[in-house]
Amino acid sequence: TLRRQNLQIKLRSSLVPMQKGNPNKRPLFFVHPGSGSVLCYMNLIRHLGPAQPFYGLQSPGLDDQQSLLASVEAMARHYIDLLRSVQPEGPYLLGGWSMGGVVAFEMARQLQAQNQPVALLTLIDSYPPSNEREPDLDDNTLLVNFALNMGLPPQLVSFDSDPAEPIEFEERLRSLLQRSQQAGLVPPDLKPDRVQQLFIVFKNNVRAMMAYRPHPYSGAVTLLKASQPLDEQLLADDLGWRKWAGEVFVERVPGNHYTLVHEPGVEVLADKLKDCLHRIT
């Protein structure tokens, strides 16, 4: 019973110990993407090898028991408190895919303001927010992006329908759940209300990221950039990060924004990350 209680506490925490690793090595702390979950890093951890300690930082609210954090700044403060409970002093090793890189950037900025060094800040195909006001996305557009974040291939994400008989959002959500189960991306017993809660977290996170306006960070950033951009406007070598960081190192990895954390490209991603770790140790 005690073991089950401890497991529940860990699942409800935003700090997720994903690999114990070698206690003599500094841990990596990786922030969730828009989905709020850190399960997307499982393949990356496997390719990093068993010696590398790895913690995931996941969104509060995934289990419907905690309040959502409405801003990137608030997320960064919360996650810093958690990582310092494991590693009280720097240098820190931070990173994240997609939105996770944006939150990790803000964490690095806040840690620097606290005179805590960040030895490595790795952004995996993360895009800096624009200073221009972004349009508010409707639920159906968000649902498509939610499905892609879950790992569904684009050909399974389309929700085409007869304009005369539009598909209700709840029906789209049920269809997404069915497709994800058929693809083996989620457990077969996952309930629609659980998926709806995951979507609420995703929607909150996307809106927080779109509202974020970064301040400069004088430290270095390593950008691991997808070799196949989804948007021609994102062809800038540094995706726009040199405007905000003291120094930006860019490495290309195979795949697009959604595939680079999955096989087979994730092996190259892990190799690039291992190179970064070797350079600072």
Side-chain angles (χ1 to χ4, degrees):
T1 303
L2 180 61
R3 183 177 297 174
R4 186 178 302 163
Q5 289 174 344
N6 288 338
L7 179 60
Q8 288 175 344
I9 290 170
K10 287 180 180 178
L11 289 174
R12 287 177 183 169
S13 172
S14 289
L15 182 68
V16 183
M18 300 183 74
Q19 180 162 274
K20 187 175 180 180
N22 183 341
N24 295 318
K25 293 174 72 73
R26 271 182 285 177
L28 278 167
F29 295 92
F30 264 53
V31 185
H32 61 84
S35 68
S37 170
V38 290
L39 293 178
C40 57
Y41 298 128
M42 293 303 295
N43 286 328
L44 176 62
I45 293 168
R46 182 165 55 84
H47 284 293
L48 286 174
Q52 178 59 55
F54 195 105
Y55 287 85
L57 292 159
Q58 70 179 6
S59 288
L62 285 175
D63 61 358
D64 201 20
Q65 298 294 315
Q66 295 173 295
S67 299
L68 298 172
L69 297 171
S71 72
V72 167
E73 292 87 347
M75 292 176 195
R77 286 191 295 271
H78 179 55
Y79 301 155
I80 285 172
D81 288 343
L82 292 172
L83 75 85
R84 295 193 74 177
S85 72
V86 173
Q87 184 185 337
E89 302 291 330
Y92 293 103
L93 310 178
L94 306 178
W97 167 50
S98 192
M99 177 190 179
V102 177
V103 181
F105 176 86
E106 176 60 22
M107 289 173 67
R109 198 192 65 76
Q110 291 186 20
L111 283 165
Q112 188 177 67
Q114 298 170 16
N115 295 316
Q116 289 295 328
V118 176
L120 181 65
L121 173 57
T122 305
L123 314 183
I124 301 177
D125 212 50
S126 302
Y127 312 133
S130 168
N131 278 330
E132 299 177 5
R133 180 172 173 78
E134 300 280 355
D136 198 19
L137 301 178
D138 63 83
D139 280 357
N140 287 324
T141 302
L142 284 167
L143 187 59
V144 169
N145 285 279
F146 176 57
L148 291 169
N149 266 269
M150 289 178 68
L152 272 179
Q155 62 268 26
L156 293 180
V157 173
S158 173
F159 293 105
D160 294 334
S161 63
D162 184 346
E165 296 182 15
I167 301 175
E168 294 294 329
F169 175 76
E170 288 74 15
E171 188 176 338
R172 289 173 183 258
L173 199 63
R174 284 194 295 272
S175 174
L176 168 62
L177 174 58
Q178 184 179 27
R179 296 175 195 186
S180 300
Q181 289 171 329
Q182 289 171 347
L185 297 172
V186 298
D189 58 348
L190 190 66
K191 304 299 183 196
D193 59 345
R194 174 74 175 130
V195 178
Q196 189 156 12
Q197 178 61 27
L198 297 177
F199 178 73
I200 289 170
V201 172
F202 177 77
K203 183 175 179 179
N204 172 82
N205 288 347
V206 169
R207 288 182 170 171
M209 184 174 64
M210 291 172 67
Y212 175 59
R213 298 295 177 264
H215 294 279
Y217 168 64
S218 62
V221 165
T222 297
L223 175 64
L224 301 180
K225 178 184 174 185
S227 60
Q228 302 167 15
L230 295 176
D231 188 328
E232 291 300 315
Q233 295 179 350
L234 300 174
L235 289 174
D237 181 54
D238 66 334
L239 298 180
W241 283 108
R242 284 194 176 90
K243 180 179 179 180
W244 303 109
E247 200 169 10
V248 179
F249 302 99
V250 182
E251 296 274 1
R252 291 182 179 271
V253 292
N256 63 38
H257 182 73
Y258 295 108
T259 63
L260 84 174
V261 293
H262 300 292
E263 301 290 358
V266 69
E267 185 172 0
V268 178
L269 179 67
D271 287 342
K272 298 284 187 183
L273 184 53
K274 284 190 282 189
D275 288 343
C276 294
L277 293 168
H278 289 153
R279 283 196 291 267
I280 62 171
T281 56

PDB file of all heavy atoms in Angstrom, residues 225-252:
ATOM      1  N   LYS A 225      17.870  21.449 -34.524  1.00  0.00           N
ATOM      2  CA  LYS A 225      16.831  21.890 -35.454  1.00  0.00           C
ATOM      3  C   LYS A 225      16.467  20.791 -36.443  1.00  0.00           C
ATOM      4  O   LYS A 225      17.343  20.135 -37.018  1.00  0.00           O
ATOM      5  CB  LYS A 225      17.337  23.125 -36.203  1.00  0.00           C
ATOM      6  CG  LYS A 225      16.404  23.688 -37.242  1.00  0.00           C
ATOM      7  CD  LYS A 225      17.080  24.835 -37.974  1.00  0.00           C
ATOM      8  CE  LYS A 225      16.225  25.330 -39.116  1.00  0.00           C
ATOM      9  NZ  LYS A 225      16.918  26.375 -39.908  1.00  0.00           N
ATOM     10  N   ALA A 226      15.159  20.604 -36.654  1.00  0.00           N
ATOM     11  CA  ALA A 226      14.690  19.615 -37.627  1.00  0.00           C
ATOM     12  C   ALA A 226      15.152  19.998 -39.037  1.00  0.00           C
ATOM     13  O   ALA A 226      15.069  21.168 -39.427  1.00  0.00           O
ATOM     14  CB  ALA A 226      13.174  19.517 -37.580  1.00  0.00           C
ATOM     15  N   SER A 227      15.611  19.026 -39.790  1.00  0.00           N
ATOM     16  CA  SER A 227      16.131  19.294 -41.138  1.00  0.00           C
ATOM     17  C   SER A 227      15.016  19.549 -42.152  1.00  0.00           C
ATOM     18  O   SER A 227      15.268  20.051 -43.239  1.00  0.00           O
ATOM     19  CB  SER A 227      17.000  18.128 -41.611  1.00  0.00           C
ATOM     20  OG  SER A 227      16.238  16.926 -41.654  1.00  0.00           O
ATOM     21  N   GLN A 228      13.770  19.195 -41.795  1.00  0.00           N
ATOM     22  CA  GLN A 228      12.624  19.398 -42.693  1.00  0.00           C
ATOM     23  C   GLN A 228      11.629  20.354 -42.043  1.00  0.00           C
ATOM     24  O   GLN A 228      10.749  19.936 -41.289  1.00  0.00           O
ATOM     25  CB  GLN A 228      11.937  18.062 -42.981  1.00  0.00           C
ATOM     26  CG  GLN A 228      12.837  17.022 -43.604  1.00  0.00           C
ATOM     27  CD  GLN A 228      12.211  15.635 -43.574  1.00  0.00           C
ATOM     28  OE1 GLN A 228      11.024  15.461 -43.351  1.00  0.00           O
ATOM     29  NE2 GLN A 228      13.039  14.614 -43.770  1.00  0.00           N
ATOM     30  N   PRO A 229      11.766  21.667 -42.319  1.00  0.00           N
ATOM     31  CA  PRO A 229      10.857  22.627 -41.686  1.00  0.00           C
ATOM     32  C   PRO A 229       9.424  22.434 -42.171  1.00  0.00           C
ATOM     33  O   PRO A 229       9.176  22.105 -43.329  1.00  0.00           O
ATOM     34  CB  PRO A 229      11.417  23.988 -42.121  1.00  0.00           C
ATOM     35  CG  PRO A 229      12.177  23.701 -43.370  1.00  0.00           C
ATOM     36  CD  PRO A 229      12.737  22.315 -43.206  1.00  0.00           C
ATOM     37  N   LEU A 230       8.472  22.638 -41.257  1.00  0.00           N
ATOM     38  CA  LEU A 230       7.057  22.523 -41.621  1.00  0.00           C
ATOM     39  C   LEU A 230       6.554  23.767 -42.318  1.00  0.00           C
ATOM     40  O   LEU A 230       5.529  23.741 -42.990  1.00  0.00           O
ATOM     41  CB  LEU A 230       6.216  22.278 -40.364  1.00  0.00           C
ATOM     42  CG  LEU A 230       6.464  20.962 -39.618  1.00  0.00           C
ATOM     43  CD1 LEU A 230       5.628  20.919 -38.352  1.00  0.00           C
ATOM     44  CD2 LEU A 230       6.145  19.771 -40.509  1.00  0.00           C
ATOM     45  N   ASP A 231       7.274  24.874 -42.134  1.00  0.00           N
ATOM     46  CA  ASP A 231       6.835  26.163 -42.670  1.00  0.00           C
ATOM     47  C   ASP A 231       8.033  26.832 -43.326  1.00  0.00           C
ATOM     48  O   ASP A 231       9.102  26.933 -42.720  1.00  0.00           O
ATOM     49  CB  ASP A 231       6.282  27.027 -41.523  1.00  0.00           C
ATOM     50  CG  ASP A 231       5.615  28.304 -42.024  1.00  0.00           C
ATOM     51  OD1 ASP A 231       6.038  28.845 -43.057  1.00  0.00           O
ATOM     52  OD2 ASP A 231       4.666  28.761 -41.355  1.00  0.00           O
ATOM     53  N   GLU A 232       7.868  27.315 -44.563  1.00  0.00           N
ATOM     54  CA  GLU A 232       8.967  27.961 -45.278  1.00  0.00           C
ATOM     55  C   GLU A 232       9.468  29.212 -44.556  1.00  0.00           C
ATOM     56  O   GLU A 232      10.604  29.628 -44.721  1.00  0.00           O
ATOM     57  CB  GLU A 232       8.518  28.340 -46.705  1.00  0.00           C
ATOM     58  CG  GLU A 232       8.285  27.145 -47.606  1.00  0.00           C
ATOM     59  CD  GLU A 232       9.533  26.289 -47.777  1.00  0.00           C
ATOM     60  OE1 GLU A 232      10.615  26.856 -47.990  1.00  0.00           O
ATOM     61  OE2 GLU A 232       9.430  25.050 -47.678  1.00  0.00           O
ATOM     62  N   GLN A 233       8.606  29.813 -43.714  1.00  0.00           N
ATOM     63  CA  GLN A 233       9.014  31.006 -42.976  1.00  0.00           C
ATOM     64  C   GLN A 233       9.974  30.666 -41.838  1.00  0.00           C
ATOM     65  O   GLN A 233      10.522  31.558 -41.208  1.00  0.00           O
ATOM     66  CB  GLN A 233       7.773  31.720 -42.421  1.00  0.00           C
ATOM     67  CG  GLN A 233       6.854  32.261 -43.511  1.00  0.00           C
ATOM     68  CD  GLN A 233       5.622  32.939 -42.930  1.00  0.00           C
ATOM     69  OE1 GLN A 233       5.348  32.861 -41.749  1.00  0.00           O
ATOM     70  NE2 GLN A 233       4.891  33.628 -43.789  1.00  0.00           N
ATOM     71  N   LEU A 234      10.144  29.374 -41.555  1.00  0.00           N
ATOM     72  CA  LEU A 234      11.002  28.958 -40.449  1.00  0.00           C
ATOM     73  C   LEU A 234      12.364  28.477 -40.932  1.00  0.00           C
ATOM     74  O   LEU A 234      13.033  27.713 -40.257  1.00  0.00           O
ATOM     75  CB  LEU A 234      10.312  27.852 -39.648  1.00  0.00           C
ATOM     76  CG  LEU A 234       8.968  28.229 -39.027  1.00  0.00           C
ATOM     77  CD1 LEU A 234       8.314  27.013 -38.379  1.00  0.00           C
ATOM     78  CD2 LEU A 234       9.128  29.343 -38.011  1.00  0.00           C
ATOM     79  N   LEU A 235      12.763  28.951 -42.103  1.00  0.00           N
ATOM     80  CA  LEU A 235      14.026  28.507 -42.676  1.00  0.00           C
ATOM     81  C   LEU A 235      15.239  29.216 -42.080  1.00  0.00           C
ATOM     82  O   LEU A 235      16.363  28.826 -42.348  1.00  0.00           O
ATOM     83  CB  LEU A 235      14.014  28.714 -44.205  1.00  0.00           C
ATOM     84  CG  LEU A 235      13.106  27.761 -44.987  1.00  0.00           C
ATOM     85  CD1 LEU A 235      13.071  28.156 -46.463  1.00  0.00           C
ATOM     86  CD2 LEU A 235      13.565  26.324 -44.842  1.00  0.00           C
ATOM     87  N   ALA A 236      15.029  30.270 -41.307  1.00  0.00           N
ATOM     88  CA  ALA A 236      16.151  30.964 -40.666  1.00  0.00           C
ATOM     89  C   ALA A 236      16.986  29.954 -39.890  1.00  0.00           C
ATOM     90  O   ALA A 236      16.450  29.118 -39.164  1.00  0.00           O
ATOM     91  CB  ALA A 236      15.639  32.054 -39.738  1.00  0.00           C
ATOM     92  N   ASP A 237      18.295  30.060 -40.057  1.00  0.00           N
ATOM     93  CA  ASP A 237      19.194  29.057 -39.476  1.00  0.00           C
ATOM     94  C   ASP A 237      18.974  28.876 -37.980  1.00  0.00           C
ATOM     95  O   ASP A 237      18.972  27.760 -37.465  1.00  0.00           O
ATOM     96  CB  ASP A 237      20.643  29.461 -39.751  1.00  0.00           C
ATOM     97  CG  ASP A 237      21.636  28.463 -39.198  1.00  0.00           C
ATOM     98  OD1 ASP A 237      21.519  27.272 -39.534  1.00  0.00           O
ATOM     99  OD2 ASP A 237      22.507  28.865 -38.412  1.00  0.00           O
ATOM    100  N   ASP A 238      18.763  29.981 -37.260  1.00  0.00           N
ATOM    101  CA  ASP A 238      18.640  29.916 -35.803  1.00  0.00           C
ATOM    102  C   ASP A 238      17.191  30.000 -35.339  1.00  0.00           C
ATOM    103  O   ASP A 238      16.937  30.083 -34.138  1.00  0.00           O
ATOM    104  CB  ASP A 238      19.446  31.045 -35.163  1.00  0.00           C
ATOM    105  CG  ASP A 238      18.862  32.410 -35.499  1.00  0.00           C
ATOM    106  OD1 ASP A 238      18.190  32.534 -36.554  1.00  0.00           O
ATOM    107  OD2 ASP A 238      19.061  33.355 -34.717  1.00  0.00           O
ATOM    108  N   LEU A 239      16.225  29.966 -36.266  1.00  0.00           N
ATOM    109  CA  LEU A 239      14.791  30.091 -35.984  1.00  0.00           C
ATOM    110  C   LEU A 239      14.451  31.382 -35.235  1.00  0.00           C
ATOM    111  O   LEU A 239      13.355  31.522 -34.709  1.00  0.00           O
ATOM    112  CB  LEU A 239      14.275  28.885 -35.184  1.00  0.00           C
ATOM    113  CG  LEU A 239      14.391  27.518 -35.869  1.00  0.00           C
ATOM    114  CD1 LEU A 239      13.831  26.417 -34.958  1.00  0.00           C
ATOM    115  CD2 LEU A 239      13.661  27.504 -37.204  1.00  0.00           C
ATOM    116  N   GLY A 240      15.405  32.314 -35.166  1.00  0.00           N
ATOM    117  CA  GLY A 240      15.158  33.600 -34.510  1.00  0.00           C
ATOM    118  C   GLY A 240      15.694  33.716 -33.097  1.00  0.00           C
ATOM    119  O   GLY A 240      15.505  34.748 -32.439  1.00  0.00           O
ATOM    120  N   TRP A 241      16.435  32.712 -32.614  1.00  0.00           N
ATOM    121  CA  TRP A 241      16.898  32.737 -31.223  1.00  0.00           C
ATOM    122  C   TRP A 241      18.051  33.698 -30.982  1.00  0.00           C
ATOM    123  O   TRP A 241      18.276  34.123 -29.844  1.00  0.00           O
ATOM    124  CB  TRP A 241      17.295  31.328 -30.771  1.00  0.00           C
ATOM    125  CG  TRP A 241      16.116  30.470 -30.450  1.00  0.00           C
ATOM    126  CD1 TRP A 241      15.629  29.419 -31.179  1.00  0.00           C
ATOM    127  CD2 TRP A 241      15.237  30.594 -29.319  1.00  0.00           C
ATOM    128  NE1 TRP A 241      14.506  28.894 -30.582  1.00  0.00           N
ATOM    129  CE2 TRP A 241      14.247  29.585 -29.438  1.00  0.00           C
ATOM    130  CE3 TRP A 241      15.195  31.466 -28.214  1.00  0.00           C
ATOM    131  CZ2 TRP A 241      13.237  29.437 -28.486  1.00  0.00           C
ATOM    132  CZ3 TRP A 241      14.184  31.309 -27.279  1.00  0.00           C
ATOM    133  CH2 TRP A 241      13.218  30.304 -27.426  1.00  0.00           C
ATOM    134  N   ARG A 242      18.821  34.059 -32.007  1.00  0.00           N
ATOM    135  CA  ARG A 242      19.959  34.965 -31.781  1.00  0.00           C
ATOM    136  C   ARG A 242      19.508  36.333 -31.304  1.00  0.00           C
ATOM    137  O   ARG A 242      20.301  37.082 -30.726  1.00  0.00           O
ATOM    138  CB  ARG A 242      20.793  35.090 -33.065  1.00  0.00           C
ATOM    139  CG  ARG A 242      21.654  33.868 -33.316  1.00  0.00           C
ATOM    140  CD  ARG A 242      22.734  34.074 -34.365  1.00  0.00           C
ATOM    141  NE  ARG A 242      23.570  32.874 -34.459  1.00  0.00           N
ATOM    142  CZ  ARG A 242      23.335  31.859 -35.280  1.00  0.00           C
ATOM    143  NH1 ARG A 242      22.281  31.900 -36.085  1.00  0.00           N
ATOM    144  NH2 ARG A 242      24.122  30.811 -35.294  1.00  0.00           N
ATOM    145  N   LYS A 243      18.267  36.644 -31.527  1.00  0.00           N
ATOM    146  CA  LYS A 243      17.712  37.916 -31.034  1.00  0.00           C
ATOM    147  C   LYS A 243      17.637  37.919 -29.511  1.00  0.00           C
ATOM    148  O   LYS A 243      17.668  38.973 -28.868  1.00  0.00           O
ATOM    149  CB  LYS A 243      16.319  38.118 -31.632  1.00  0.00           C
ATOM    150  CG  LYS A 243      15.621  39.395 -31.197  1.00  0.00           C
ATOM    151  CD  LYS A 243      14.269  39.501 -31.864  1.00  0.00           C
ATOM    152  CE  LYS A 243      13.539  40.781 -31.427  1.00  0.00           C
ATOM    153  NZ  LYS A 243      12.208  40.893 -32.074  1.00  0.00           N
ATOM    154  N   TRP A 244      17.558  36.729 -28.901  1.00  0.00           N
ATOM    155  CA  TRP A 244      17.298  36.633 -27.465  1.00  0.00           C
ATOM    156  C   TRP A 244      18.449  36.051 -26.672  1.00  0.00           C
ATOM    157  O   TRP A 244      18.524  36.271 -25.455  1.00  0.00           O
ATOM    158  CB  TRP A 244      16.046  35.782 -27.225  1.00  0.00           C
ATOM    159  CG  TRP A 244      14.839  36.302 -27.936  1.00  0.00           C
ATOM    160  CD1 TRP A 244      14.203  35.748 -29.012  1.00  0.00           C
ATOM    161  CD2 TRP A 244      14.132  37.507 -27.640  1.00  0.00           C
ATOM    162  NE1 TRP A 244      13.142  36.524 -29.407  1.00  0.00           N
ATOM    163  CE2 TRP A 244      13.070  37.610 -28.577  1.00  0.00           C
ATOM    164  CE3 TRP A 244      14.287  38.500 -26.669  1.00  0.00           C
ATOM    165  CZ2 TRP A 244      12.182  38.682 -28.565  1.00  0.00           C
ATOM    166  CZ3 TRP A 244      13.391  39.567 -26.664  1.00  0.00           C
ATOM    167  CH2 TRP A 244      12.357  39.649 -27.598  1.00  0.00           C
ATOM    168  N   ALA A 245      19.341  35.298 -27.295  1.00  0.00           N
ATOM    169  CA  ALA A 245      20.400  34.598 -26.557  1.00  0.00           C
ATOM    170  C   ALA A 245      21.763  35.207 -26.840  1.00  0.00           C
ATOM    171  O   ALA A 245      21.989  35.806 -27.895  1.00  0.00           O
ATOM    172  CB  ALA A 245      20.405  33.122 -26.916  1.00  0.00           C
ATOM    173  N   GLY A 246      22.689  35.017 -25.890  1.00  0.00           N
ATOM    174  CA  GLY A 246      24.032  35.540 -26.061  1.00  0.00           C
ATOM    175  C   GLY A 246      24.787  34.849 -27.176  1.00  0.00           C
ATOM    176  O   GLY A 246      25.572  35.466 -27.900  1.00  0.00           O
ATOM    177  N   GLU A 247      24.552  33.546 -27.332  1.00  0.00           N
ATOM    178  CA  GLU A 247      25.219  32.750 -28.359  1.00  0.00           C
ATOM    179  C   GLU A 247      24.307  31.583 -28.714  1.00  0.00           C
ATOM    180  O   GLU A 247      23.654  31.023 -27.831  1.00  0.00           O
ATOM    181  CB  GLU A 247      26.562  32.242 -27.814  1.00  0.00           C
ATOM    182  CG  GLU A 247      27.552  31.817 -28.869  1.00  0.00           C
ATOM    183  CD  GLU A 247      28.946  31.586 -28.294  1.00  0.00           C
ATOM    184  OE1 GLU A 247      29.081  31.577 -27.047  1.00  0.00           O
ATOM    185  OE2 GLU A 247      29.883  31.396 -29.091  1.00  0.00           O
ATOM    186  N   VAL A 248      24.259  31.240 -30.000  1.00  0.00           N
ATOM    187  CA  VAL A 248      23.403  30.143 -30.440  1.00  0.00           C
ATOM    188  C   VAL A 248      24.214  29.184 -31.303  1.00  0.00           C
ATOM    189  O   VAL A 248      24.822  29.590 -32.297  1.00  0.00           O
ATOM    190  CB  VAL A 248      22.180  30.649 -31.247  1.00  0.00           C
ATOM    191  CG1 VAL A 248      21.316  29.468 -31.700  1.00  0.00           C
ATOM    192  CG2 VAL A 248      21.349  31.612 -30.412  1.00  0.00           C
ATOM    193  N   PHE A 249      24.233  27.916 -30.908  1.00  0.00           N
ATOM    194  CA  PHE A 249      24.876  26.866 -31.698  1.00  0.00           C
ATOM    195  C   PHE A 249      23.773  26.024 -32.327  1.00  0.00           C
ATOM    196  O   PHE A 249      22.871  25.552 -31.631  1.00  0.00           O
ATOM    197  CB  PHE A 249      25.760  25.998 -30.807  1.00  0.00           C
ATOM    198  CG  PHE A 249      26.828  26.761 -30.078  1.00  0.00           C
ATOM    199  CD1 PHE A 249      26.653  27.127 -28.752  1.00  0.00           C
ATOM    200  CD2 PHE A 249      27.996  27.129 -30.719  1.00  0.00           C
ATOM    201  CE1 PHE A 249      27.624  27.840 -28.073  1.00  0.00           C
ATOM    202  CE2 PHE A 249      28.982  27.849 -30.054  1.00  0.00           C
ATOM    203  CZ  PHE A 249      28.791  28.207 -28.725  1.00  0.00           C
ATOM    204  N   VAL A 250      23.840  25.830 -33.640  1.00  0.00           N
ATOM    205  CA  VAL A 250      22.779  25.132 -34.367  1.00  0.00           C
ATOM    206  C   VAL A 250      23.290  23.806 -34.903  1.00  0.00           C
ATOM    207  O   VAL A 250      24.348  23.743 -35.538  1.00  0.00           O
ATOM    208  CB  VAL A 250      22.243  25.996 -35.529  1.00  0.00           C
ATOM    209  CG1 VAL A 250      21.106  25.266 -36.253  1.00  0.00           C
ATOM    210  CG2 VAL A 250      21.759  27.351 -35.017  1.00  0.00           C
ATOM    211  N   GLU A 251      22.548  22.747 -34.634  1.00  0.00           N
ATOM    212  CA  GLU A 251      22.823  21.416 -35.182  1.00  0.00           C
ATOM    213  C   GLU A 251      21.540  20.911 -35.834  1.00  0.00           C
ATOM    214  O   GLU A 251      20.452  21.044 -35.268  1.00  0.00           O
ATOM    215  CB  GLU A 251      23.242  20.440 -34.075  1.00  0.00           C
ATOM    216  CG  GLU A 251      24.536  20.789 -33.384  1.00  0.00           C
ATOM    217  CD  GLU A 251      25.757  20.247 -34.106  1.00  0.00           C
ATOM    218  OE1 GLU A 251      25.573  19.601 -35.167  1.00  0.00           O
ATOM    219  OE2 GLU A 251      26.871  20.463 -33.621  1.00  0.00           O
ATOM    220  N   ARG A 252      21.656  20.317 -37.015  1.00  0.00           N
ATOM    221  CA  ARG A 252      20.482  19.780 -37.714  1.00  0.00           C
ATOM    222  C   ARG A 252      20.314  18.291 -37.397  1.00  0.00           C
ATOM    223  O   ARG A 252      21.305  17.563 -37.306  1.00  0.00           O
ATOM    224  CB  ARG A 252      20.602  19.983 -39.222  1.00  0.00           C
ATOM    225  CG  ARG A 252      20.495  21.449 -39.633  1.00  0.00           C
ATOM    226  CD  ARG A 252      20.567  21.598 -41.142  1.00  0.00           C
ATOM    227  NE  ARG A 252      20.432  22.998 -41.527  1.00  0.00           N
ATOM    228  CZ  ARG A 252      19.275  23.589 -41.776  1.00  0.00           C
ATOM    229  NH1 ARG A 252      18.149  22.894 -41.668  1.00  0.00           N
ATOM    230  NH2 ARG A 252      19.213  24.855 -42.129  1.00  0.00           N
TER     231      ARG A 252
END
